[in-house]
Every structure is written in C-alpha cells, then in structure tokens.
Amino acid sequence: DQQVKQNSPSLSVQEGRISILNCDYTNSMFDYFLWYKKYPAEGPTFLISISSIKDKNEDGRFTVFLNKSAKHLSLHIVPSQPGDSAVYFCAARGSGAGSYQLTFGKGTKLSVIP
Amino acid sequence: IAGITQAPTSQILAAGRRMTLRCTQDMRHNAMYWYRQDLGLGLRLIHYSNTAGTTGKGEVPDGYSVSRANTDDFPLTLASAVPSQTSVYFCASSNEGSSTQYFGPGTRLTVL
C-alpha cells in the first residue's frame, strides 16, 4: 500500500506562471514532510520541508502548504523558471524516537516551458 | 567538503556476480541509507543504519546486505546479482535528530 502518493507523473507549466505539485498521504502518524528536487544523473537535493504543526512554509519562490485534515500537501513555485524543470519527490517521516526514515512518493516531472 | 561520494558511477555486471557499491560521507552524520530508484516507482529504501554498528531493513531488502563498521562508510553488497536489481542506487545520510537526508550522486547498475 502506497503511503505517499503523487498522482501526477508529469506537469508542464509556462515560464513565469505558478507550478503546483501535489502530494497525498495515508498514514496519520506522519509528522514531517519534505520536498526533494532531482535533476537527471544527479542525486535528489532537499528543497523545503514542513512540520505537521504548521500549515505553510515559505522559502523564496517555493511554498509548501499542508492540510492535515485532508492528508494533503502541495508545493507552489512562483514564478516558475526553466531551471525548475526536474523531478520533484514528496517525502514523509513517521513520528517516534529514532524515526529518521522517509517514505517517498513516486515523483512528478515538472517541465517549465520558456 | 565532498558530502557523500558513491563508487562506481556506473557498472555493468553479469548475473550471478557479487558486487559492492561504496558510499562514504564526510559530514559525520549518524544515519545512512541506501535507496534504489526505478522508473515509475520512485525512491525505495533498501537498508538503513541509524548509527555505526547497527543496520536495519527497509522496504526492499531482499538480495542486498549492508554493514556499518564506522560512521563514514556504508557499503551495499549484492551477493549474487539478478537482472531485477538493475537500477540507480542512491546513498544518503542525515544527522541525529534531523529528517533532512543528503544524497550522493548515485550509481547506475545494469545486471545482464
């Protein structure tokens, strides 16, 4: 059973517009969420995170929103740039001592069109 | 500071052969992880280690083994490779108390 779901395998957005990437989770014990960005032939790099006690976290052009009741989070990129074209992974961490493990979604490939 | 290094960058391997993927970090992170990335399946955890001397199984551990003799190194061994182990393998690490994992550049493994 997939606990972290990214239902859109791909997304195309025009440069300058907003990109919205979505992620749903099923495990109510998840208490921390992260977004990673991955370019081809490179390892994933950490982008932004949010704790379950918050509903929004912002870092420059990137904002993550968390709706706990809906078990849904989204990553907004405004304005989108061609360099944002990459695969984005949503990840979640379970609560409890020593729970460093993350569960990843399958990823969404974002293409920003110049 | 290199962060996390992985070797080799890529490898083609005959089925049945033994292979060890190397991972070294210089950040003194307590925890280390091995993932495989397959098209349409995302990142799946193979094995992890919360601290030197301890290891644990992830989501897809079968056919793989790990060891953690010290803080910096976390090798992944395929005792007898099979074609289904063709994948891109990523090593990652995180500091104690932090959920942010830092990834290496990956090893692309092809088993024929």
Side-chain angles (χ1 to χ4, degrees), chain A residues 36 38 43 93 100-101 106, chain B residues 33 37 40 48 99 101 103-104:
Chain A
Y36 281 81
K38 185 185 180 304
R93 182 198 75 180
Y100 308 131
Q101 296 175 48
K106 294 183 178 182
Chain B
Y33 315 83
Q37 185 196 7
Y48 66 94
S99 291
Q101 294 182 14
F103 284 79

Side-chain angles (χ1 to χ4, degrees), chain A residues 6-32:
Chain A
Q6 294 178 256
N7 292 320
S8 298
S10 62
L11 175 68
S12 290
V13 172
Q14 206 74 31
E15 180 179 3
R17 306 295 291 267
I18 184 171
S19 295
I20 300 176
L21 295 92
N22 294 304
C23 178
D24 297 292
Y25 62 96
T26 57
N27 189 339
S28 58
M29 298 302 289
F30 288 147
D31 67 351
Y32 196 79

Side-chain angles (χ1 to χ4, degrees), chain B residues 78-103:
Chain B
L78 290 68
S80 179
V82 295
S84 62
Q85 292 177 311
T86 294
S87 187
V88 181
Y89 291 86
F90 291 102
C91 180
S93 70
S94 66
N95 212 355
E96 186 174 5
S98 172
S99 291
T100 304
Q101 294 182 14
Y102 298 89
F103 284 79

Side-chain angles (χ1 to χ4, degrees), chain A:
Chain A
D1 180 34
Q2 196 181 354
Q3 297 188 71
V4 178
K5 301 177 184 179
Q6 294 178 256
N7 292 320
S8 298
S10 62
L11 175 68
S12 290
V13 172
Q14 206 74 31
E15 180 179 3
R17 306 295 291 267
I18 184 171
S19 295
I20 300 176
L21 295 92
N22 294 304
C23 178
D24 297 292
Y25 62 96
T26 57
N27 189 339
S28 58
M29 298 302 289
F30 288 147
D31 67 351
Y32 196 79
F33 304 90
L34 306 90
W35 284 94
Y36 281 81
K37 176 180 181 179
K38 185 185 180 304
Y39 292 119
E42 294 184 10
T45 56
F46 169 71
L47 188 58
I48 193 169
S49 62
I50 188 167
S51 166
S52 59
I53 63 173
K54 295 186 175 182
D55 56 15
K56 177 183 175 180
N57 188 27
E58 190 173 356
D59 184 3
R61 296 186 297 114
F62 303 91
T63 303
V64 56
F65 295 92
L66 175 62
N67 182 333
K68 281 186 65 178
S69 61
K71 294 189 176 68
H72 176 82
L73 63 155
S74 60
L75 174 68
H76 293 212
I77 306 173
V78 182
S80 301
Q81 299 174 353
D84 296 329
S85 296
V87 177
Y88 289 79
F89 291 100
C90 172
R93 182 198 75 180
S95 58
S99 293
Y100 308 131
Q101 296 175 48
L102 299 177
T103 301
F104 284 84
K106 294 183 178 182
T108 296
K109 183 177 182 179
L110 173 67
S111 299
V112 180
I113 304 164

Side-chain angles (χ1 to χ4, degrees), chain B residues 1-2 5 12 22 25 27-28 30 34 46 50-51 55 65 68-69 75 84-85 91 95 98 107 110:
Chain B
I1 295 177
T5 57
I12 298 174
R22 299 185 298 278
Q25 54 109 352
M27 297 176 284
R28 308 301 294 172
N30 295 82
W34 274 105
I46 305 171
N50 284 338
T51 189
T55 62
S65 64
R68 188 88 184 277
S84 62
Q85 292 177 311
C91 180
N95 212 355
S98 172
T107 293
T110 302

Side-chain angles (χ1 to χ4, degrees), chain B residues 40-63:
Chain B
L41 295 176
L43 291 160
R44 294 182 294 168
L45 182 66
I46 305 171
H47 284 286
Y48 66 94
S49 168
N50 284 338
T51 189
T54 69
T55 62
K57 294 182 179 180
E59 180 185 357
V60 288
D62 294 343

